[in-house]
Amino acid sequence: PVFFAEERRLLFLTSYSARARGRGGIVAADYFAEPRPDRTWNLWLDEQLALDDEHLGEFVEGMAPAPQGQRPILRPFQRSQALLLWSGLRQCRFLYWRETPAPAGWGGEWSLLERPKMPAAISVEIAADETRWKGLAPVSLYVRLQTGGVSR
């Protein structure tokens, strides 16, 4: 499985394409929170068909030492092919729930090369200007993780 996660970026394989509304086979979904000069954030999504291992290898430029082994260095986000999901956010980041080693807690990075399991939960923290987004309903996000035949 492919799952690389940072506080400002989340890259994983999925059988559900957000851009194609579920059609299209296996895709590499790449979410990216980009800081803007005015201290706000843009949230981008790039999806590419995951054709084979060689294609997936293009997402990793190299490896760097990390406390738990090797950590991938991801290629820069491909903004030219991406869809802008939200612009002008006051905050945008991803956090990942680690159950072990104790104590459990939220962290800003995750890699299956460093940890053999998927995170128990993913938090997407988004805050927007209240005057700009006033009256709009919150966005619900549903994530289903499946590892070893068990869905969560």
Side-chain angles (χ1 to χ4, degrees):
V2 172
F3 186 88
F4 299 117
E6 300 169 349
E7 193 170 278
R8 304 295 179 204
R9 190 168 180 191
L10 174 58
L11 171 64
F12 60 96
L13 286 183
T14 178
S15 61
Y16 184 87
S17 168
R19 294 187 79 169
R21 307 259 185 221
R23 300 178 304 275
I26 303 296
V27 297
D30 195 358
Y31 290 85
F32 178 63
E34 174 188 46
R36 297 172 19 145
D38 64 358
R39 297 176 51 185
T40 63
W41 297 87
N42 287 340
L43 180 60
W44 296 88
L45 167 62
D46 179 30
E47 286 185 344
Q48 297 181 23
L49 286 176
L51 302 174
D52 53 33
D53 289 344
E54 184 176 323
H55 178 260
L56 292 173
E58 294 174 5
F59 282 98
V60 179
E61 289 191 335
M63 302 298 285
Q68 291 130 339
Q70 295 290 310
R71 183 182 184 298
I73 300 170
L74 298 179
R75 74 168 186 210
F77 182 78
Q78 303 296 306
R79 193 177 300 98
S80 62
Q81 304 170 22
L83 172 67
L84 179 61
L85 298 176
W86 280 302
S87 179
L89 299 169
R90 283 188 293 122
Q91 177 179 316
C92 185
R93 69 180 182 160
F94 302 96
L95 295 173
Y96 312 95
W97 184 258
R98 172 189 42 78
E99 292 181 332
T100 58
W106 292 102
E109 292 182 353
W110 198 282
S111 169
L112 291 180
L113 297 177
E114 298 174 24
R115 295 179 177 96
K117 293 181 169 182
M118 297 287 283
I122 301 170
S123 171
V124 183
E125 295 185 357
I126 296 174
D129 182 354
E130 294 173 14
T131 57
R132 182 175 175 196
W133 299 91
K134 189 171 183 162
L136 295 178
V139 176
S140 298
L141 299 175
Y142 297 93
V143 177
R144 181 180 55 143
L145 299 176
Q146 185 169 4
T147 56
V150 177
S151 292
R152 294 190 251 177

